[in-house]
Amino acid sequence: VSGEVVAKPMKMRVGVDLVRVQEIERSLAQFGDRFLRRLFTEGEVAYATAAPGRTAERLAARFAAKEAVKKALGAAADGAPWRHIEVRRGPSGIPEIVLHGPAREAASAAGISEFSISLSHDGDYAIAMVAAACQGDER
Amino acid sequence: MKDKIRAILKEHGRLNKDVKDIGDKDDLLAAGLTSHANVNVMLALENEFEIEFPDSMLKRESFESIAAICASIEKVRDGQA
């Protein structure tokens, strides 16, 4: 039939990562600004440092999010700089993923246009889980 | 250079075995190097060797073994990175 669109099968991809908050505190103490600059965007640092007592747990959750996105993207995202995977807070305060540069290209090549992310922390640990709907069969 | 790398792995790598028992080509991920410990190792290497790894070298293969780390440091020093 002319004009018929055959939908490719949708697949889900997930990624999860767990980070010890104390280890992030240690990195901050040892490497300071260089640790922040290499891993996080200005917006992420601004959000994390806005609450002095919660900086490490916010950074830990964000680092976990970046790693979870890399896991969901698979081998294509190996080598994507952490700063290119950004956690932003949407208008209602819900975190969302914004990709830049090679990470964006890797997602696009995998047929992923959107991620859904959830962050949590309790005491010593922060965790992030991402889900992505992916159109295509490449992994 | 390998002794210095081993000392950094011991301090920052949080590995599941003694660095003395890790061969030059052994897989560091298999030895328990997590993604976050890998960041600390990378930053400590930069301090020790007074280099900065460019974004293009932030791949797993750059830090997958002691031999790979040596090669990565040489590459940055030679300006090939």
Side-chain angles (χ1 to χ4, degrees):
Chain A
V1 181
S2 169
E4 185 182 8
V5 177
V6 179
K8 287 185 185 171
M10 273 296 218
K11 284 187 175 176
M12 285 301 288
R13 289 194 188 185
V14 295
V16 66
D17 198 64
L18 179 69
V19 173
R20 276 184 76 181
V21 176
Q22 197 186 348
E23 291 299 328
I24 296 289
E25 279 169 358
R26 196 168 153 241
S27 299
L28 276 171
Q30 282 189 317
F31 303 110
D33 279 352
R34 208 151 52 86
F35 174 72
L36 291 174
R37 183 166 53 82
R38 295 298 286 276
L39 267 64
F40 302 99
T41 65
E42 283 179 22
E44 288 170 331
V45 172
Y47 176 71
T49 53
R54 303 185 60 193
T55 299
E57 71 182 33
R58 287 183 172 182
L59 293 175
R62 273 147 190 78
F63 182 72
K66 292 165 194 276
E67 288 296 319
V69 168
K70 285 191 185 191
K71 288 177 184 175
L73 286 174
D78 182 28
W82 292 281
R83 288 185 323 278
H84 289 184
I85 302 168
E86 181 176 16
V87 178
R88 284 192 198 158
R89 286 172 61 84
S92 54
I94 295 172
E96 53 192 31
I97 294 292
V98 180
L99 301 181
H100 312 274
R104 191 186 177 96
E105 287 159 23
S108 169
I112 296 170
S113 55
E114 200 177 341
F115 287 93
S116 179
I117 179 140
S118 183
L119 307 175
S120 183
H121 32 70
D122 184 356
D124 292 342
Y125 290 93
I127 192 169
M129 187 192 159
V130 306
C134 152
Q135 227 159 12
D137 357 86
E138 299 292 320
R139 170 85 203 181
Chain B
M1 183 190 285
K2 284 174 184 163
D3 289 345
K4 285 182 178 172
I5 294 171
R6 279 198 165 78
I8 285 169
L9 284 169
K10 187 176 181 180
E11 188 182 347
H12 300 281
R14 291 171 23 227
L15 302 178
N16 55 24
K17 54 182 171 180
D18 198 311
V19 286
K20 292 200 296 286
D21 300 329
I22 295 176
D24 290 353
K25 293 193 172 172
D26 286 358
D27 184 350
L28 294 174
L29 293 179
L33 187 68
T34 66
S35 49
H36 176 247
N38 195 8
V39 171
N40 287 347
V41 167
M42 179 190 82
L43 294 172
L45 289 168
E46 290 186 342
N47 278 356
E48 176 67 37
F49 296 101
E50 297 180 344
I51 54 172
E52 182 161 327
F53 293 106
D55 282 349
S56 61
M57 289 187 73
L58 301 181
K59 298 176 196 292
R60 228 150 241 250
E61 64 185 34
S62 304
F63 303 94
E64 69 187 358
S65 66
I66 290 171
I69 292 173
C70 271
S72 298
I73 293 168
E74 297 290 1
K75 210 170 163 185
V76 177
R77 281 180 164 173
D78 293 348
Q80 298 167 14

